[in-house]
Amino acid sequence: MTSQVSSPAEQADGADSTLVGEQRKPAGVKDVQRLDRVIIRFAGDSGDGMQLTGDRFTSETASFGNDLSTLPNFPAEIRAPAGTLPGVSSFQLHFADHDILTPGDAPNVLVAMNPAALKANIADVPRGAEIIVNTDEFTKRALQKVGYAASPLDDGSMDGYSLHPVPLTTLTVEALKDFGLTRKEAERSKNMFALGLLSWMYHRPTEGTEKFLKSKFAKKPEIAAANIAAFRAGWNFGETTEDFAVSYEVAPAATAFPTGTYRNISGNLALSYGLVAASRQADLPLFLGSYPITPASDILHELSRHKNFGVRTFQAEDEIAGIGAALGAAFGGSLAVTTTSGPGVALKSETIGLAVSMELPLLVLDIQRGGPSTGLPTKTEQADLLQAMFGRNGEAPVPIVAPCTPADCFDAAIEAARIALTYRTPVMLLSDGYLANGSEPWRIPDIDELPDLTVQFAQGPNHTLDDGTEVFWPYKRDPQTLARPWAIPGTPGLEHRIGGIEKQDGTGNISYDPANHDFMVRTRQAKIDGIDVPDLDVDDPHGARTLVLGWGSTYGPITAAVRRLRGSGESIAQAHLRHLNPFPRNLGAVLKRYDRVVIPEMNLGQLATLVRAKYLVDAHSYNQVNGMPFKAEQLATALKEAIDG
């Protein structure tokens, strides 16, 4: 879905929803309230289709023109035990008529498909919020399974909420009684009934969802028709029932963004598109050698669809084979990529070291998740930074790039490719599960906005011996970038030795000479240290004494928290790192301008460790490792304490 919007505006993100217009009641229509923002969470069993429901609501919201941010949250099991707390899957969507940055701290509306979904999420729901529950699932057995002694719908524990008990399953089965489906088949459409009801409540478009269902079930038109009927029945239920006396409008974010064509995009999809764009701008074939791993697998799935752009995807038998194939493709002249998550990086580390030694361009995309070991496959974390910095034997420096939002993943992929191709080095890109699965509007760039990444391969001899003979030296470096030449196998006269044993400077011959090894180690480090990265921008409109420094996916929550503090009259500066190795050249000077530096991270202080060691700055960590992103209110409270301290 794409939409056209115009000039930017900045408003507070993360504040409570507000009524921005009077109730109005057109003739024959229920009351309508206008809101500036809403946070909705769909929750149910992992088999209830909550991710699909949330995705469809998001797509229609994007096509309507709202700014949005999403937070899918689902179990690691493909089909977790039904009706249990570990089996709850949820999808949170924050949408607004202005610029927002996070999926929201707490839902204004919770749709709970069963007791487990209610119990797993009720702690996040503020009093006064609307809760829609599927009463058909609140059976004695289902209640006992999650530890309810009595139904919370009847014991008064829900009195502080605006509760809407709806027999979603019964209503769905009734709506589909003429379709010849079994009861079990009909029940599967209850998520579409819920989607129709919420679409009515918030005036979402419906055409896109109906078109999607027809396409998704094109080979089963009777199933498509049943789902569309359930979707329409949910809409009509909202229109006719007395339990929902009010519907809501959230106007398009007409002034939130620069003029352009926008679409909804997830972080992994943006990475995929960025890789394709980089390969086109470099005029190189794109090769992905990968082994499926959550939450990186979507990149493999997406790139496999783009053979028309010269993309080759190879699903290897394991992580080591995946990166080995990618490094071979780099040697052969491709823009080579491997994708993984933290456990896979551990397995790939030897080959990353080989790429450092061979000095070939290679993109290693680490979509971080909770660890160690298998850890939390579907939860987010930022705990691979030190692994990316130091997780190889020997002195093996690697540049590190980190996107800050789902849409920014596109630009980060192109930047990682620029560094790899220009400096002939493997590059680590650190995304995470929050960015990978979350989505937001993305302005589709014009081709002329993208950088020229064209590569010049070695074509002939590049060195003259003392006797006048012209030869090819595979490790003779560009004096500006220290990059060695990239010689394609099979080019006459450019045959050269390659491998992991230390090379002699210039010739590339095997060398055990101590002085040469010292020189090569220092040269490889100097090449990384000399990478051209932009200076760090600092947002400090009031001359603050406290700086909050972030990296990666903490950008949204940090910025939302900073907006809150400034809105209440506090003075605080903000800076966010995209380049983590090398750091921007002005980082040390920036840090020394402030009395206090606070670094929020979804780890136990890895960036803070690097900053303290390199710049001798008393940086303070604020850490969280619960598998979920920071909440804006939580960060605002912590930063206020830092300001006051």
Side-chain angles (χ1 to χ4, degrees):
M1 297 289 181
T2 59
S3 58
Q4 295 284 340
V5 298
S6 56
S7 63
E10 182 177 287
Q11 300 187 31
D13 174 60
D16 292 335
S17 297
T18 55
L19 184 66
V20 296
E22 295 296 327
Q23 288 194 14
R24 58 185 177 84
K25 189 173 183 180
V29 180
K30 292 184 178 183
D31 289 333
V32 178
Q33 291 182 1
R34 185 180 174 194
L35 305 174
D36 66 347
R37 54 183 288 279
V38 172
I39 303 167
I40 298 174
R41 184 182 297 178
F42 299 94
D45 274 333
S46 58
D48 281 341
M50 294 296 94
Q51 302 305 316
L52 175 62
T53 304
D55 183 68
R56 288 314 314 160
F57 197 95
T58 300
S59 294
E60 298 299 353
T61 296
S63 68
F64 188 71
N66 296 118
D67 193 14
L68 61 89
S69 179
T70 69
L71 178 62
N73 186 16
F74 42 88
E77 292 83 358
I78 293 175
R79 183 64 191 270
T84 65
L85 293 174
V88 173
S89 174
S90 67
F91 188 105
Q92 184 163 304
L93 166 68
H94 182 191
F95 61 102
D97 64 3
H98 58 271
D99 175 27
I100 58 173
L101 297 157
T102 76
D105 287 358
N108 308 116
V109 182
L110 171 66
V111 179
M113 303 298 281
N114 60 17
L118 180 63
K119 188 165 189 177
N121 291 279
I122 191 63
D124 294 335
V125 183
R127 294 285 173 170
E130 295 194 80
I131 299 179
I132 301 171
V133 295
N134 179 16
T135 56
D136 288 327
E137 297 298 321
F138 279 70
T139 63
K140 183 177 180 180
R141 184 170 181 271
L143 292 166
Q144 290 175 342
K145 190 179 290 188
V146 295
Y148 278 128
S151 174
L153 308 184
D154 304 323
D155 64 5
S157 60
M158 306 295 292
D159 289 349
Y161 304 94
S162 178
L163 183 65
H164 301 280
V166 180
L168 288 172
T169 306
T170 299
L171 291 171
T172 302
V173 171
E174 177 64 22
L176 303 183
K177 64 182 180 180
D178 296 329
F179 282 81
L181 303 175
T182 65
R183 180 178 178 85
K184 187 174 182 179
E185 290 172 335
E187 288 178 357
R188 290 175 183 158
S189 297
K190 62 180 179 290
N191 64 323
M192 288 297 105
F193 188 100
L195 177 60
L197 173 57
L198 269 293
S199 297
W200 170 82
M201 283 182 66
Y202 291 96
H203 297 218
R204 299 296 91 186
T206 61
E207 295 82 2
T209 293
E210 295 194 8
K211 183 178 179 181
F212 166 81
L213 290 170
K214 290 177 182 177
S215 173
K216 179 177 177 63
F217 299 107
K219 296 182 179 179
K220 297 181 179 179
E222 68 283 359
I223 300 298
N227 277 282
I228 292 171
F231 176 69
R232 291 175 177 173
W235 177 285
N236 293 333
F237 176 78
E239 183 71 32
T240 57
T241 183
E242 295 182 0
D243 193 33
F244 294 92
V246 179
S247 64
Y248 305 92
E249 283 185 350
V250 180
T255 60
F257 311 108
T259 302
T261 302
Y262 286 76
R263 59 156 293 160
N264 183 47
I265 200 165
S266 68
N268 275 351
L269 185 58
L271 279 177
S272 301
Y273 288 175
L275 293 171
V276 174
S279 75
R280 295 299 82 209
Q281 293 302 105
D283 195 23
L284 297 175
L286 177 65
F287 179 90
L288 173 67
S290 184
Y291 179 76
I293 184 172
T294 301
S297 300
D298 288 341
I299 302 170
L300 171 61
H301 300 159
E302 181 60 34
L303 288 179
S304 68
R305 300 186 176 103
H306 297 292
K307 297 181 179 66
N308 55 314
F309 287 114
V311 178
R312 298 182 181 91
T313 53
F314 169 56
Q315 180 174 321
E317 65 269 29
D318 55 41
E319 296 280 6
I320 299 171
I323 191 173
L327 185 57
F331 181 56
S334 292
L335 176 58
V337 185
T338 189
T339 55
T340 189
S341 191
V345 175
L347 292 167
K348 295 178 188 291
S349 62
E350 183 180 8
T351 307
I352 297 173
L354 177 59
V356 171
S357 174
M358 292 168 63
E359 300 190 46
L360 286 171
L362 173 67
L363 303 185
V364 181
L365 276 54
D366 177 7
I367 317 302
Q368 301 165 96
R369 70 192 207 188
S373 189
T374 309
L376 304 174
T378 60
K379 310 301 180 184
T380 196
E381 204 163 270
Q382 288 183 297
D384 295 350
L385 176 55
L386 294 184
Q387 179 179 222
M389 282 288 292
F390 306 120
R392 294 162 296 283
N393 67 296
E395 296 287 344
V398 169
I400 303 172
V401 175
C404 63
T405 69
D408 185 52
C409 288
F410 177 87
D411 296 316
I414 293 176
E415 174 65 357
R418 177 191 73 85
I419 294 172
L421 295 171
T422 303
Y423 296 90
R424 309 287 196 267
T425 177
V427 177
M428 296 283 294
L429 186 149
L430 297 182
S431 179
D432 60 40
Y434 172 38
L435 296 183
N437 297 315
S439 62
E440 66 177 354
W442 170 60
R443 188 181 70 84
I444 302 172
D446 294 328
I447 297 298
D448 57 12
E449 297 176 32
L450 303 179
D452 181 4
L453 302 180
T454 305
V455 174
Q456 294 296 324
F457 293 114
Q459 298 297 323
N462 62 356
H463 184 76
T464 303
L465 300 176
D466 292 341
D467 63 3
T469 304
E470 293 187 338
V471 296
F472 174 67
W473 275 14
Y475 281 82
K476 185 170 184 177
R477 301 179 184 279
D478 181 289
Q480 298 299 318
T481 64
L482 299 182
R484 77 174 186 88
W486 194 358
I488 301 301
T491 307
L494 302 190
E495 298 85 0
H496 59 283
R497 182 176 286 108
I498 205 74
I501 297 178
E502 185 63 281
K503 320 293 188 304
Q504 184 181 54
D505 178 44
T507 67
N509 295 331
I510 292 175
S511 173
Y512 298 105
D513 178 65
N516 178 79
H517 177 62
D518 183 275
F519 178 82
M520 293 294 280
V521 167
R522 295 180 186 277
T523 300
R524 287 190 289 261
Q525 183 65 58
K527 180 174 71 170
I528 303 307
D529 292 341
I531 291 172
D532 182 24
V533 304
D535 279 351
L536 181 65
D537 289 329
V538 182
D539 177 20
D540 186 6
H542 307 116
R545 297 173 58 196
T546 300
L547 170 72
V548 55
L549 179 68
W551 70 278
S553 66
T554 57
Y555 173 78
I558 289 175
T559 306
V562 167
R563 288 182 180 181
R564 286 189 180 199
L565 290 171
R566 290 176 180 169
S568 62
E570 300 291 343
S571 179
I572 187 169
Q574 178 188 0
H576 207 79
L577 290 167
R578 161 171 281 182
H579 296 91
L580 296 153
N581 193 32
F583 285 131
R585 286 172 176 77
N586 69 331
L587 176 57
V590 167
L591 294 172
K592 285 180 171 59
R593 295 207 303 260
Y594 295 92
D595 297 338
R596 286 175 294 276
V597 177
V598 182
I599 303 179
E601 299 180 77
M602 292 188 293
N603 57 47
L604 296 183
Q606 297 189 16
L607 175 61
T609 297
L610 296 174
V611 166
R612 290 170 69 97
K614 185 173 180 65
Y615 300 105
L616 303 180
V617 171
D618 187 19
H620 298 274
S621 288
Y622 183 75
N623 309 117
Q624 173 176 295
V625 282
N626 62 5
M628 299 294 288
F630 284 112
K631 294 182 178 180
E633 182 180 2
Q634 163 195 3
L635 275 182
T637 300
L639 296 177
K640 178 64 166 63
E641 292 174 356
I643 293 171
D644 294 341

